[in-house]
Amino acid sequence: MKIKSLVIALFSILLFSNCQEKVKEDTVKENYLDFSKRDDQATGGIKMIPITTPVGKFNVWTKTVGNNPKIKVLLLHGGPGGTHEFFESFDGYFPQESIEYIYYDQLGSYYSDQPNDNRLWTNERFVEEVEQVRKALKLDNTNFYLMGQSWGGILAMEYALKYQKNLKGLIIANMMASAPAYNKYAEEVLGPKLPKEVFEQIKTFEKNKDYTNPKYTELLFKYYYTEHILRKPIEEWPESINRAFKHLNPNVYVFMQGPSEFGITGDATLKNWDVTARLKTLTVPTLVIGAKYDTMDPKHMEWISKEVQNGRFLYCPNGSHCSQYDDQEHYFPGVISFLKDVDSGNFKKD
């Protein structure tokens, strides 16, 4: 009888616990689109956040979608000088999972202030900008997930290396931890996969610094972008992607990344960037996303997931650099699973 009573008691506790969790989930879902208690209701979630920099004060654009007190994902776009528009496919996946996410245009990007001062375009200053945005949005380690894609992945790593105590989770998408390793992969692996005569033409244009030549752009789009940036014919590229490229700030992009898509070249400030030796200091739960056809080496991405102390690797077998568009069937379930596992306390590293 005692055993029977114990079993009943344990079952009751389990049932009660599950009911409590269900109530919490239902409450989050019910209030997900309720802006009535928020200070950004009048603007539909948009906030212009004041940023202090060494050369003056500016404003950056953010837009919060949804309400979830435990899962808030700040999105760091690529470029540098890109926009939040690269992430607009998230609208089709995060809301139905009641995940709160924040679009954010970094300083110099289209929807934010665009000062013409190259002293602003440093990793260190961008990290402090993210920290100011975090504070303004009242994000902390009970709810703050930082997700960076491409250049945003560099920024996410740099932020975590300094401020991981503020994070609940970190997502590094489509970005290696070393610019020299990225250059090597582009030059020795991706380039030679192109038709020989095409690769030679591209290298000739780059050697002559003829980056604005229409033929150079045509070759890149036809043979490289549709293979490694977004694996769809150009005429089928999503409108949000086309808009993002249209809004790219070339001044910031070229200063930090350089004019070439085959690695980080010229006098670009990111040319020698490398944090591989520091990754082992990251203890925050981390998801690293790599794709088969990416401009970034997916094996390196998997290595990052094992180098950090609590990492998980998400592989997109059909994806490229923008796998949030061309491999959504793997990308979004993997990202959502990571967020929910960390939130529930069930996260396990690979």
Side-chain angles (χ1 to χ4, degrees):
M1 288 297 292
K2 287 183 179 180
I3 294 177
K4 184 177 179 180
S5 299
L6 182 60
V7 170
I8 292 172
L10 289 173
F11 178 76
S12 299
I13 292 170
L14 182 61
L15 185 62
F16 179 70
S17 176
N18 288 339
C19 286
Q20 281 187 315
E21 287 300 318
K22 181 66 175 171
V23 168
K24 288 179 184 176
E25 287 178 16
D26 289 345
T27 301
V28 169
K29 190 171 185 179
E30 182 181 334
N31 295 324
Y32 182 71
L33 293 176
D34 182 6
F35 279 56
S36 63
K37 296 184 177 113
R38 285 175 31 174
D39 60 2
D40 55 7
Q41 181 179 21
T43 59
I46 293 173
K47 283 185 177 181
M48 297 300 293
I49 296 176
I51 296 296
T52 301
T53 79
V55 299
K57 292 186 177 181
F58 304 97
N59 292 301
V60 296
W61 181 96
T62 67
K63 178 175 180 176
T64 299
V65 181
N67 289 293
N68 188 325
K70 295 172 66 182
I71 305 178
K72 301 174 185 291
V73 186
L74 181 64
L75 301 172
L76 302 181
H77 60 70
T83 75
H84 73 279
E85 292 155 321
F86 283 110
F87 287 116
E88 286 187 5
S89 58
F90 284 46
D91 289 346
Y93 295 89
F94 274 13
Q96 66 203 49
E97 300 293 338
S98 300
I99 294 169
E100 180 180 330
Y101 54 112
I102 302 134
Y103 290 131
Y104 157 38
D105 267 29
Q106 299 149 27
L107 188 64
S109 295
Y110 187 78
Y111 292 87
S112 295
D113 287 350
Q114 300 175 42
N116 186 22
D117 191 329
N118 287 342
R119 290 175 296 173
L120 291 164
W121 317 133
T122 67
N123 292 356
E124 295 76 16
R125 195 214 56 79
F126 273 113
V127 166
E128 295 311 313
E129 177 184 316
V130 173
E131 176 63 357
Q132 291 181 63
V133 169
R134 178 194 73 80
K135 289 178 178 178
L137 295 174
K138 297 180 172 58
L139 308 174
D140 59 40
N141 58 20
T142 67
N143 54 33
F144 178 31
Y145 295 82
L146 189 62
M147 180 173 190
Q149 193 257 345
S150 192
W151 143 254
I154 291 179
L155 183 51
M157 283 184 259
E158 289 280 10
Y159 178 89
L161 286 166
K162 184 171 184 180
Y163 289 117
Q164 68 173 317
K165 66 182 185 300
N166 298 328
L167 291 170
K168 187 173 182 178
L170 172 68
I171 303 176
I172 304 164
N174 313 97
M175 189 63 229
M176 296 163 68
S178 165
Y182 161 43
N183 289 347
K184 190 172 189 291
Y185 184 69
E187 182 71 28
E188 297 180 5
V189 178
L190 296 183
K193 287 183 178 180
L194 294 169
K196 185 177 179 182
E197 65 279 7
V198 171
F199 188 44
E200 288 176 351
Q201 286 183 71
I202 289 173
K203 296 306 289 181
T204 298
F205 281 123
E206 296 195 342
K207 182 179 179 182
N208 295 331
K209 297 184 172 19
D210 195 7
Y211 297 107
T212 59
N213 192 305
K215 181 63 176 177
Y216 173 73
T217 304
E218 179 187 337
L219 290 173
L220 280 179
F221 270 94
K222 184 176 180 180
Y223 294 100
Y224 190 71
Y225 285 19
T226 53
E227 287 292 318
H228 301 295
I229 301 296
L230 203 163
R231 290 177 63 79
K232 292 178 184 289
I234 291 293
E235 59 273 14
E236 294 180 20
W237 277 24
E239 186 273 339
S240 56
I241 288 288
N242 292 332
R243 193 170 1 105
F245 276 109
K246 181 181 178 181
H247 291 159
L248 182 75
N249 185 334
N251 296 327
V252 181
Y253 184 85
V254 172
F255 185 77
M256 296 186 74
Q257 149 79 28
S260 172
E261 282 297 335
F262 280 97
I264 299 174
T265 58
D267 297 325
T269 60
L270 290 172
K271 187 174 182 178
N272 297 312
W273 177 82
D274 190 323
V275 295
T276 51
R278 300 167 61 201
L279 292 174
K280 61 175 68 73
T281 66
L282 292 180
T283 60
V284 65
T286 302
L287 177 68
V288 186
I289 305 173
K292 181 177 181 179
Y293 302 101
D294 197 353
T295 53
M296 304 293 160
D297 183 0
K299 291 182 180 177
H300 181 100
M301 305 300 293
E302 185 174 15
W303 173 82
I304 292 175
S305 72
K306 297 181 186 308
E307 188 70 2
V308 299
Q309 295 186 37
N310 286 291
R312 179 185 292 182
F313 181 58
L314 170 59
Y315 181 63
C316 295
N318 304 314
S320 64
H321 197 55
C322 291
S323 45
Q324 70 269 33
Y325 283 94
D326 56 21
D327 197 359
Q328 294 178 343
E329 62 268 34
H330 294 96
Y331 185 95
F332 283 106
V335 171
I336 291 166
S337 176
F338 169 78
L339 294 171
K340 293 197 169 184
D341 284 350
V342 175
D343 178 54
S344 66
N346 293 322
F347 172 78
K348 291 182 176 59
K349 65 179 184 180
D350 286 342

